[in-house]
Amino acid sequence: MRERLRAAGLTDIADKVEARERLSFDDGVRLFETPEFLGVGWLANRERERRHAGRTYFNHNLRLEATNVCEASCLFCSFARLTPDQPGAHTKSVEQMFDRLRARAGEALTEVHMVNGLHPGLPFSYYTDLLSGLKRIRPGIHLKCFTAVEIAFFADHYGKTDRQVLEELRAAGLDSLPGGGAEIFAPRVRKKISYDKCDGDRYLSVHRTAHAMGMRTNMTMLYGHIETLAERVDHMLQIRALQDDTGGLQAFIPLAFHNENNQMRKLPVPTATDTLRTHAVARLLLDNVDHIKAYWISTSVELAQTALWFGADDLDGTVQEETIYHMAGSTTPSALSTDQIEQLVRAAGREPIERDTLYNVVRVPDAVAV
Ligand code: V47
């Protein structure tokens, strides 16, 4: 492989990675542009194995969404409805949400991951009631709820600071923030695809505040639409800079654009090689982030398995009730059991480890005799 990397003019980057030196913006762009796809994957895999060997993390979680009414009009979104009276709009009562969790009483869930639309007509107490009720039903469950975009919306809409919102939600049971809403930070792109929700600086600032309060968070990047490769690198390096300051970020999740039932349906979706390369470049650039997650609902199950050899060490979770991607054309199942995930990881030649949201090991499944 060294010979291939040399022939592709990547020896300097390979040497830096080996010496654990930080890669630059230009290095990132070169890793995206080089035709030496396997070389980039090889470097990322070596880095992944240095950190985690063959270990591959997943968790037993439940996706919930309380409302898809959203005053933002992101062009890529197939899930939101602008007003409550539009066809397909729904807002659940807190009791209906509690029933969704109660229905899983027999399952060894460790996390609820909730993302909602930006609904202008609900009181703030709706969200605190939701959190405290979910915690009452399952006191041990980790509540990973509300993206930084939702936190910024709550602050503006209810006249609070970001910190007040986070503190009040934490007092009600919030444990950490999921990574949604990042899209691409570059204003050129953001103005076009999601012009009326919080900008990249605010997204990062909400995460900074959460980290300062001792909360852990994840961050994402929506790729494969109108962004340039340089804008992807810029996005990752802004995340790296924040992580240098706070250390509160747990995982980075590249999210592959899906093009059905939204205003960007004329664009093609990213190719398989683009998806694998994006996970690989993330592993190499984000030297201060422990985990790169392949979200199987976004990549496809097969590509998520392959990404485990291109820098990814996490497969997200069992998920169970997913709409954002399925409304945008994802053909994956909307749930996998922990047994299925374990088998997928093993079939990919890796070792499954069930974790909780904070990456504490919950269970190391026994290898199945063949
Ligand atoms: O914020 C919406 C994206 C995100 C589309 O933190 C789309 O552990 C592709 O953030 N095509 C929600 N992407 C999902 C998310 C996530 C997923 C898994 C784990 C974690 C975590 C977070 O989905 C949204 C948006 O960026 N999205 N529509 C679409 N058409």
Side-chain angles (χ1 to χ4, degrees), residues 181-213:
E183 324 317 354
I184 290 281
F185 297 141
R188 181 195 76 84
V189 177
R190 214 172 173 86
K191 270 190 210 132
K192 286 188 182 149
I193 67 169
S194 47
Y195 59 93
D196 57 355
K197 72 181 186 195
C198 85
D199 64 13
D201 287 347
R202 181 84 179 274
Y203 174 96
L204 289 163
S205 147
V206 169
H207 282 265
R208 187 182 290 279
T209 305
H211 295 171
M213 291 167 53

PDB file of all heavy atoms in Angstrom, residues 181-213:
ATOM      1  N   GLY A 181     -29.093  18.433  12.634  1.00  0.00           N
ATOM      2  CA  GLY A 181     -29.229  19.866  12.394  1.00  0.00           C
ATOM      3  C   GLY A 181     -27.967  20.567  11.945  1.00  0.00           C
ATOM      4  O   GLY A 181     -27.994  21.744  11.630  1.00  0.00           O
ATOM      5  N   ALA A 182     -26.850  19.855  11.879  1.00  0.00           N
ATOM      6  CA  ALA A 182     -25.584  20.519  11.512  1.00  0.00           C
ATOM      7  C   ALA A 182     -25.558  20.824  10.018  1.00  0.00           C
ATOM      8  O   ALA A 182     -25.018  21.860   9.602  1.00  0.00           O
ATOM      9  CB  ALA A 182     -24.404  19.640  11.897  1.00  0.00           C
ATOM     10  N   GLU A 183     -26.096  19.915   9.220  1.00  0.00           N
ATOM     11  CA  GLU A 183     -26.088  20.016   7.743  1.00  0.00           C
ATOM     12  C   GLU A 183     -24.680  20.349   7.283  1.00  0.00           C
ATOM     13  O   GLU A 183     -23.763  19.607   7.532  1.00  0.00           O
ATOM     14  CB  GLU A 183     -27.127  21.043   7.249  1.00  0.00           C
ATOM     15  CG  GLU A 183     -28.445  21.133   8.043  1.00  0.00           C
ATOM     16  CD  GLU A 183     -29.107  19.832   8.472  1.00  0.00           C
ATOM     17  OE1 GLU A 183     -28.669  18.746   8.093  1.00  0.00           O
ATOM     18  OE2 GLU A 183     -30.072  19.879   9.264  1.00  0.00           O
ATOM     19  N   ILE A 184     -24.497  21.535   6.638  1.00  0.00           N
ATOM     20  CA  ILE A 184     -23.150  22.013   6.280  1.00  0.00           C
ATOM     21  C   ILE A 184     -23.074  23.425   6.856  1.00  0.00           C
ATOM     22  O   ILE A 184     -23.972  24.234   6.639  1.00  0.00           O
ATOM     23  CB  ILE A 184     -22.984  22.034   4.743  1.00  0.00           C
ATOM     24  CG1 ILE A 184     -22.922  20.605   4.181  1.00  0.00           C
ATOM     25  CG2 ILE A 184     -21.753  22.832   4.340  1.00  0.00           C
ATOM     26  CD1 ILE A 184     -21.595  19.874   4.321  1.00  0.00           C
ATOM     27  N   PHE A 185     -22.003  23.716   7.584  1.00  0.00           N
ATOM     28  CA  PHE A 185     -21.928  25.022   8.247  1.00  0.00           C
ATOM     29  C   PHE A 185     -21.738  26.176   7.258  1.00  0.00           C
ATOM     30  O   PHE A 185     -22.176  27.294   7.528  1.00  0.00           O
ATOM     31  CB  PHE A 185     -20.780  25.050   9.256  1.00  0.00           C
ATOM     32  CG  PHE A 185     -20.932  24.067  10.393  1.00  0.00           C
ATOM     33  CD1 PHE A 185     -19.824  23.382  10.886  1.00  0.00           C
ATOM     34  CD2 PHE A 185     -22.168  23.833  10.980  1.00  0.00           C
ATOM     35  CE1 PHE A 185     -19.949  22.482  11.941  1.00  0.00           C
ATOM     36  CE2 PHE A 185     -22.311  22.942  12.028  1.00  0.00           C
ATOM     37  CZ  PHE A 185     -21.189  22.259  12.510  1.00  0.00           C
ATOM     38  N   ALA A 186     -21.053  25.927   6.144  1.00  0.00           N
ATOM     39  CA  ALA A 186     -20.702  27.020   5.213  1.00  0.00           C
ATOM     40  C   ALA A 186     -21.942  27.849   4.874  1.00  0.00           C
ATOM     41  O   ALA A 186     -22.936  27.305   4.372  1.00  0.00           O
ATOM     42  CB  ALA A 186     -20.107  26.451   3.937  1.00  0.00           C
ATOM     43  N   PRO A 187     -21.910  29.175   5.129  1.00  0.00           N
ATOM     44  CA  PRO A 187     -23.095  30.003   4.889  1.00  0.00           C
ATOM     45  C   PRO A 187     -23.612  29.908   3.449  1.00  0.00           C
ATOM     46  O   PRO A 187     -24.816  29.941   3.225  1.00  0.00           O
ATOM     47  CB  PRO A 187     -22.613  31.421   5.206  1.00  0.00           C
ATOM     48  CG  PRO A 187     -21.448  31.232   6.136  1.00  0.00           C
ATOM     49  CD  PRO A 187     -20.806  29.930   5.744  1.00  0.00           C
ATOM     50  N   ARG A 188     -22.720  29.737   2.464  1.00  0.00           N
ATOM     51  CA  ARG A 188     -23.167  29.637   1.068  1.00  0.00           C
ATOM     52  C   ARG A 188     -24.196  28.511   0.910  1.00  0.00           C
ATOM     53  O   ARG A 188     -25.228  28.684   0.276  1.00  0.00           O
ATOM     54  CB  ARG A 188     -21.949  29.336   0.158  1.00  0.00           C
ATOM     55  CG  ARG A 188     -22.305  29.235  -1.319  1.00  0.00           C
ATOM     56  CD  ARG A 188     -21.184  28.588  -2.140  1.00  0.00           C
ATOM     57  NE  ARG A 188     -21.108  27.145  -1.978  1.00  0.00           N
ATOM     58  CZ  ARG A 188     -21.833  26.257  -2.649  1.00  0.00           C
ATOM     59  NH1 ARG A 188     -22.690  26.659  -3.563  1.00  0.00           N
ATOM     60  NH2 ARG A 188     -21.714  24.958  -2.418  1.00  0.00           N
ATOM     61  N   VAL A 189     -23.918  27.368   1.537  1.00  0.00           N
ATOM     62  CA  VAL A 189     -24.791  26.207   1.411  1.00  0.00           C
ATOM     63  C   VAL A 189     -26.003  26.357   2.314  1.00  0.00           C
ATOM     64  O   VAL A 189     -27.149  26.137   1.907  1.00  0.00           O
ATOM     65  CB  VAL A 189     -24.025  24.915   1.783  1.00  0.00           C
ATOM     66  CG1 VAL A 189     -24.939  23.703   1.737  1.00  0.00           C
ATOM     67  CG2 VAL A 189     -22.832  24.733   0.875  1.00  0.00           C
ATOM     68  N   ARG A 190     -25.734  26.746   3.536  1.00  0.00           N
ATOM     69  CA  ARG A 190     -26.807  26.813   4.534  1.00  0.00           C
ATOM     70  C   ARG A 190     -27.895  27.791   4.099  1.00  0.00           C
ATOM     71  O   ARG A 190     -29.082  27.540   4.289  1.00  0.00           O
ATOM     72  CB  ARG A 190     -26.212  27.211   5.885  1.00  0.00           C
ATOM     73  CG  ARG A 190     -26.915  26.563   7.041  1.00  0.00           C
ATOM     74  CD  ARG A 190     -26.203  26.820   8.338  1.00  0.00           C
ATOM     75  NE  ARG A 190     -27.015  26.320   9.428  1.00  0.00           N
ATOM     76  CZ  ARG A 190     -26.996  25.068   9.858  1.00  0.00           C
ATOM     77  NH1 ARG A 190     -26.198  24.198   9.317  1.00  0.00           N
ATOM     78  NH2 ARG A 190     -27.792  24.695  10.843  1.00  0.00           N
ATOM     79  N   LYS A 191     -27.467  28.913   3.491  1.00  0.00           N
ATOM     80  CA  LYS A 191     -28.463  29.900   3.030  1.00  0.00           C
ATOM     81  C   LYS A 191     -29.384  29.303   1.984  1.00  0.00           C
ATOM     82  O   LYS A 191     -30.526  29.703   1.842  1.00  0.00           O
ATOM     83  CB  LYS A 191     -27.734  31.106   2.417  1.00  0.00           C
ATOM     84  CG  LYS A 191     -27.427  32.180   3.445  1.00  0.00           C
ATOM     85  CD  LYS A 191     -26.936  33.443   2.749  1.00  0.00           C
ATOM     86  CE  LYS A 191     -25.973  34.182   3.648  1.00  0.00           C
ATOM     87  NZ  LYS A 191     -24.740  34.588   3.001  1.00  0.00           N
ATOM     88  N   LYS A 192     -28.858  28.338   1.222  1.00  0.00           N
ATOM     89  CA  LYS A 192     -29.698  27.744   0.177  1.00  0.00           C
ATOM     90  C   LYS A 192     -30.561  26.605   0.697  1.00  0.00           C
ATOM     91  O   LYS A 192     -31.722  26.493   0.340  1.00  0.00           O
ATOM     92  CB  LYS A 192     -28.803  27.201  -0.948  1.00  0.00           C
ATOM     93  CG  LYS A 192     -28.212  28.297  -1.797  1.00  0.00           C
ATOM     94  CD  LYS A 192     -27.505  27.728  -3.003  1.00  0.00           C
ATOM     95  CE  LYS A 192     -26.881  28.859  -3.798  1.00  0.00           C
ATOM     96  NZ  LYS A 192     -25.669  28.472  -4.490  1.00  0.00           N
ATOM     97  N   ILE A 193     -30.004  25.734   1.533  1.00  0.00           N
ATOM     98  CA  ILE A 193     -30.759  24.515   1.865  1.00  0.00           C
ATOM     99  C   ILE A 193     -31.516  24.614   3.192  1.00  0.00           C
ATOM    100  O   ILE A 193     -32.456  23.864   3.410  1.00  0.00           O
ATOM    101  CB  ILE A 193     -29.860  23.252   1.871  1.00  0.00           C
ATOM    102  CG1 ILE A 193     -28.820  23.274   2.997  1.00  0.00           C
ATOM    103  CG2 ILE A 193     -29.194  23.040   0.522  1.00  0.00           C
ATOM    104  CD1 ILE A 193     -28.112  21.941   3.179  1.00  0.00           C
ATOM    105  N   SER A 194     -31.079  25.504   4.072  1.00  0.00           N
ATOM    106  CA  SER A 194     -31.835  25.652   5.337  1.00  0.00           C
ATOM    107  C   SER A 194     -31.630  27.068   5.852  1.00  0.00           C
ATOM    108  O   SER A 194     -31.008  27.275   6.881  1.00  0.00           O
ATOM    109  CB  SER A 194     -31.422  24.607   6.375  1.00  0.00           C
ATOM    110  OG  SER A 194     -30.037  24.503   6.478  1.00  0.00           O
ATOM    111  N   TYR A 195     -32.226  28.013   5.098  1.00  0.00           N
ATOM    112  CA  TYR A 195     -31.952  29.434   5.336  1.00  0.00           C
ATOM    113  C   TYR A 195     -32.655  29.961   6.577  1.00  0.00           C
ATOM    114  O   TYR A 195     -32.268  30.988   7.111  1.00  0.00           O
ATOM    115  CB  TYR A 195     -32.385  30.256   4.105  1.00  0.00           C
ATOM    116  CG  TYR A 195     -33.850  30.103   3.776  1.00  0.00           C
ATOM    117  CD1 TYR A 195     -34.793  30.999   4.282  1.00  0.00           C
ATOM    118  CD2 TYR A 195     -34.304  29.034   3.004  1.00  0.00           C
ATOM    119  CE1 TYR A 195     -36.148  30.835   4.011  1.00  0.00           C
ATOM    120  CE2 TYR A 195     -35.642  28.867   2.731  1.00  0.00           C
ATOM    121  CZ  TYR A 195     -36.559  29.768   3.234  1.00  0.00           C
ATOM    122  OH  TYR A 195     -37.889  29.590   2.987  1.00  0.00           O
ATOM    123  N   ASP A 196     -33.721  29.271   7.055  1.00  0.00           N
ATOM    124  CA  ASP A 196     -34.485  29.885   8.143  1.00  0.00           C
ATOM    125  C   ASP A 196     -34.386  29.114   9.457  1.00  0.00           C
ATOM    126  O   ASP A 196     -35.310  29.120  10.259  1.00  0.00           O
ATOM    127  CB  ASP A 196     -35.952  30.116   7.735  1.00  0.00           C
ATOM    128  CG  ASP A 196     -36.655  28.841   7.303  1.00  0.00           C
ATOM    129  OD1 ASP A 196     -35.992  27.793   7.219  1.00  0.00           O
ATOM    130  OD2 ASP A 196     -37.869  28.889   7.061  1.00  0.00           O
ATOM    131  N   LYS A 197     -33.269  28.433   9.664  1.00  0.00           N
ATOM    132  CA  LYS A 197     -33.033  27.899  11.016  1.00  0.00           C
ATOM    133  C   LYS A 197     -31.652  28.359  11.470  1.00  0.00           C
ATOM    134  O   LYS A 197     -30.956  29.044  10.733  1.00  0.00           O
ATOM    135  CB  LYS A 197     -33.168  26.379  11.047  1.00  0.00           C
ATOM    136  CG  LYS A 197     -32.067  25.597  10.379  1.00  0.00           C
ATOM    137  CD  LYS A 197     -32.395  24.113  10.499  1.00  0.00           C
ATOM    138  CE  LYS A 197     -31.259  23.248   9.976  1.00  0.00           C
ATOM    139  NZ  LYS A 197     -31.680  21.861   9.764  1.00  0.00           N
ATOM    140  N   CYS A 198     -31.252  28.004  12.672  1.00  0.00           N
ATOM    141  CA  CYS A 198     -30.040  28.604  13.246  1.00  0.00           C
ATOM    142  C   CYS A 198     -28.827  28.317  12.372  1.00  0.00           C
ATOM    143  O   CYS A 198     -28.750  27.276  11.713  1.00  0.00           O
ATOM    144  CB  CYS A 198     -29.848  28.151  14.690  1.00  0.00           C
ATOM    145  SG  CYS A 198     -28.997  26.590  14.906  1.00  0.00           S
ATOM    146  N   ASP A 199     -27.890  29.269  12.348  1.00  0.00           N
ATOM    147  CA  ASP A 199     -26.723  29.106  11.477  1.00  0.00           C
ATOM    148  C   ASP A 199     -25.669  28.214  12.141  1.00  0.00           C
ATOM    149  O   ASP A 199     -25.848  27.747  13.278  1.00  0.00           O
ATOM    150  CB  ASP A 199     -26.155  30.472  11.065  1.00  0.00           C
ATOM    151  CG  ASP A 199     -25.620  31.269  12.250  1.00  0.00           C
ATOM    152  OD1 ASP A 199     -25.462  30.691  13.344  1.00  0.00           O
ATOM    153  OD2 ASP A 199     -25.354  32.475  12.072  1.00  0.00           O
ATOM    154  N   GLY A 200     -24.590  27.985  11.415  1.00  0.00           N
ATOM    155  CA  GLY A 200     -23.551  27.078  11.896  1.00  0.00           C
ATOM    156  C   GLY A 200     -22.916  27.562  13.192  1.00  0.00           C
ATOM    157  O   GLY A 200     -22.627  26.758  14.088  1.00  0.00           O
ATOM    158  N   ASP A 201     -22.709  28.867  13.310  1.00  0.00           N
ATOM    159  CA  ASP A 201     -22.063  29.385  14.527  1.00  0.00           C
ATOM    160  C   ASP A 201     -22.932  29.114  15.756  1.00  0.00           C
ATOM    161  O   ASP A 201     -22.446  28.752  16.821  1.00  0.00           O
ATOM    162  CB  ASP A 201     -21.828  30.900  14.413  1.00  0.00           C
ATOM    163  CG  ASP A 201     -20.704  31.211  13.443  1.00  0.00           C
ATOM    164  OD1 ASP A 201     -19.965  30.269  13.067  1.00  0.00           O
ATOM    165  OD2 ASP A 201     -20.575  32.384  13.035  1.00  0.00           O
ATOM    166  N   ARG A 202     -24.228  29.309  15.580  1.00  0.00           N
ATOM    167  CA  ARG A 202     -25.138  29.087  16.720  1.00  0.00           C
ATOM    168  C   ARG A 202     -25.193  27.595  17.078  1.00  0.00           C
ATOM    169  O   ARG A 202     -25.218  27.223  18.253  1.00  0.00           O
ATOM    170  CB  ARG A 202     -26.535  29.613  16.350  1.00  0.00           C
ATOM    171  CG  ARG A 202     -27.585  29.481  17.448  1.00  0.00           C
ATOM    172  CD  ARG A 202     -27.537  30.630  18.417  1.00  0.00           C
ATOM    173  NE  ARG A 202     -28.538  30.544  19.465  1.00  0.00           N
ATOM    174  CZ  ARG A 202     -29.790  30.982  19.369  1.00  0.00           C
ATOM    175  NH1 ARG A 202     -30.216  31.554  18.242  1.00  0.00           N
ATOM    176  NH2 ARG A 202     -30.621  30.867  20.383  1.00  0.00           N
ATOM    177  N   TYR A 203     -25.225  26.754  16.042  1.00  0.00           N
ATOM    178  CA  TYR A 203     -25.223  25.297  16.288  1.00  0.00           C
ATOM    179  C   TYR A 203     -24.006  24.938  17.143  1.00  0.00           C
ATOM    180  O   TYR A 203     -24.115  24.240  18.164  1.00  0.00           O
ATOM    181  CB  TYR A 203     -25.181  24.556  14.940  1.00  0.00           C
ATOM    182  CG  TYR A 203     -25.041  23.051  15.046  1.00  0.00           C
ATOM    183  CD1 TYR A 203     -26.152  22.209  14.996  1.00  0.00           C
ATOM    184  CD2 TYR A 203     -23.789  22.450  15.201  1.00  0.00           C
ATOM    185  CE1 TYR A 203     -26.022  20.823  15.096  1.00  0.00           C
ATOM    186  CE2 TYR A 203     -23.645  21.068  15.308  1.00  0.00           C
ATOM    187  CZ  TYR A 203     -24.762  20.262  15.246  1.00  0.00           C
ATOM    188  OH  TYR A 203     -24.631  18.889  15.351  1.00  0.00           O
ATOM    189  N   LEU A 204     -22.837  25.437  16.727  1.00  0.00           N
ATOM    190  CA  LEU A 204     -21.609  25.111  17.460  1.00  0.00           C
ATOM    191  C   LEU A 204     -21.644  25.707  18.864  1.00  0.00           C
ATOM    192  O   LEU A 204     -21.187  25.092  19.833  1.00  0.00           O
ATOM    193  CB  LEU A 204     -20.388  25.627  16.680  1.00  0.00           C
ATOM    194  CG  LEU A 204     -20.090  24.832  15.396  1.00  0.00           C
ATOM    195  CD1 LEU A 204     -19.156  25.617  14.467  1.00  0.00           C
ATOM    196  CD2 LEU A 204     -19.487  23.461  15.711  1.00  0.00           C
ATOM    197  N   SER A 205     -22.213  26.910  18.958  1.00  0.00           N
ATOM    198  CA  SER A 205     -22.242  27.573  20.263  1.00  0.00           C
ATOM    199  C   SER A 205     -23.164  26.832  21.250  1.00  0.00           C
ATOM    200  O   SER A 205     -22.859  26.739  22.452  1.00  0.00           O
ATOM    201  CB  SER A 205     -22.645  29.037  20.035  1.00  0.00           C
ATOM    202  OG  SER A 205     -23.364  29.526  21.079  1.00  0.00           O
ATOM    203  N   VAL A 206     -24.269  26.276  20.756  1.00  0.00           N
ATOM    204  CA  VAL A 206     -25.138  25.482  21.651  1.00  0.00           C
ATOM    205  C   VAL A 206     -24.368  24.264  22.161  1.00  0.00           C
ATOM    206  O   VAL A 206     -24.414  23.924  23.353  1.00  0.00           O
ATOM    207  CB  VAL A 206     -26.440  25.047  20.926  1.00  0.00           C
ATOM    208  CG1 VAL A 206     -27.197  24.002  21.747  1.00  0.00           C
ATOM    209  CG2 VAL A 206     -27.331  26.247  20.636  1.00  0.00           C
ATOM    210  N   HIS A 207     -23.625  23.617  21.261  1.00  0.00           N
ATOM    211  CA  HIS A 207     -22.837  22.454  21.706  1.00  0.00           C
ATOM    212  C   HIS A 207     -21.778  22.880  22.718  1.00  0.00           C
ATOM    213  O   HIS A 207     -21.537  22.196  23.710  1.00  0.00           O
ATOM    214  CB  HIS A 207     -22.197  21.748  20.501  1.00  0.00           C
ATOM    215  CG  HIS A 207     -23.166  20.886  19.755  1.00  0.00           C
ATOM    216  ND1 HIS A 207     -23.303  19.535  19.979  1.00  0.00           N
ATOM    217  CD2 HIS A 207     -24.090  21.191  18.808  1.00  0.00           C
ATOM    218  CE1 HIS A 207     -24.257  19.042  19.200  1.00  0.00           C
ATOM    219  NE2 HIS A 207     -24.753  20.035  18.479  1.00  0.00           N
ATOM    220  N   ARG A 208     -21.158  24.037  22.464  1.00  0.00           N
ATOM    221  CA  ARG A 208     -20.136  24.538  23.393  1.00  0.00           C
ATOM    222  C   ARG A 208     -20.755  24.740  24.788  1.00  0.00           C
ATOM    223  O   ARG A 208     -20.185  24.366  25.803  1.00  0.00           O
ATOM    224  CB  ARG A 208     -19.561  25.857  22.851  1.00  0.00           C
ATOM    225  CG  ARG A 208     -18.389  26.396  23.636  1.00  0.00           C
ATOM    226  CD  ARG A 208     -17.908  27.734  23.047  1.00  0.00           C
ATOM    227  NE  ARG A 208     -17.275  27.607  21.757  1.00  0.00           N
ATOM    228  CZ  ARG A 208     -16.002  27.238  21.556  1.00  0.00           C
ATOM    229  NH1 ARG A 208     -15.227  26.989  22.592  1.00  0.00           N
ATOM    230  NH2 ARG A 208     -15.506  27.146  20.348  1.00  0.00           N
ATOM    231  N   THR A 209     -21.946  25.323  24.807  1.00  0.00           N
ATOM    232  CA  THR A 209     -22.617  25.556  26.095  1.00  0.00           C
ATOM    233  C   THR A 209     -22.943  24.226  26.778  1.00  0.00           C
ATOM    234  O   THR A 209     -22.716  24.062  27.992  1.00  0.00           O
ATOM    235  CB  THR A 209     -23.916  26.364  25.867  1.00  0.00           C
ATOM    236  OG1 THR A 209     -23.580  27.546  25.156  1.00  0.00           O
ATOM    237  CG2 THR A 209     -24.606  26.718  27.158  1.00  0.00           C
ATOM    238  N   ALA A 210     -23.456  23.283  25.996  1.00  0.00           N
ATOM    239  CA  ALA A 210     -23.785  21.974  26.587  1.00  0.00           C
ATOM    240  C   ALA A 210     -22.523  21.329  27.163  1.00  0.00           C
ATOM    241  O   ALA A 210     -22.540  20.788  28.278  1.00  0.00           O
ATOM    242  CB  ALA A 210     -24.420  21.067  25.531  1.00  0.00           C
ATOM    243  N   HIS A 211     -21.423  21.410  26.427  1.00  0.00           N
ATOM    244  CA  HIS A 211     -20.169  20.805  26.918  1.00  0.00           C
ATOM    245  C   HIS A 211     -19.716  21.499  28.208  1.00  0.00           C
ATOM    246  O   HIS A 211     -19.247  20.843  29.143  1.00  0.00           O
ATOM    247  CB  HIS A 211     -19.066  20.918  25.851  1.00  0.00           C
ATOM    248  CG  HIS A 211     -19.363  20.133  24.602  1.00  0.00           C
ATOM    249  ND1 HIS A 211     -18.608  20.220  23.456  1.00  0.00           N
ATOM    250  CD2 HIS A 211     -20.351  19.238  24.309  1.00  0.00           C
ATOM    251  CE1 HIS A 211     -19.098  19.423  22.532  1.00  0.00           C
ATOM    252  NE2 HIS A 211     -20.165  18.821  23.014  1.00  0.00           N
ATOM    253  N   ALA A 212     -19.864  22.827  28.236  1.00  0.00           N
ATOM    254  CA  ALA A 212     -19.438  23.572  29.442  1.00  0.00           C
ATOM    255  C   ALA A 212     -20.261  23.140  30.654  1.00  0.00           C
ATOM    256  O   ALA A 212     -19.798  23.222  31.793  1.00  0.00           O
ATOM    257  CB  ALA A 212     -19.590  25.074  29.206  1.00  0.00           C
ATOM    258  N   MET A 213     -21.487  22.665  30.402  1.00  0.00           N
ATOM    259  CA  MET A 213     -22.327  22.189  31.508  1.00  0.00           C
ATOM    260  C   MET A 213     -22.053  20.722  31.844  1.00  0.00           C
ATOM    261  O   MET A 213     -22.754  20.117  32.670  1.00  0.00           O
ATOM    262  CB  MET A 213     -23.807  22.323  31.120  1.00  0.00           C
ATOM    263  CG  MET A 213     -24.282  23.756  31.022  1.00  0.00           C
ATOM    264  SD  MET A 213     -25.906  23.852  30.197  1.00  0.00           S
ATOM    265  CE  MET A 213     -26.888  22.706  31.159  1.00  0.00           C
TER     266      MET A 213
END
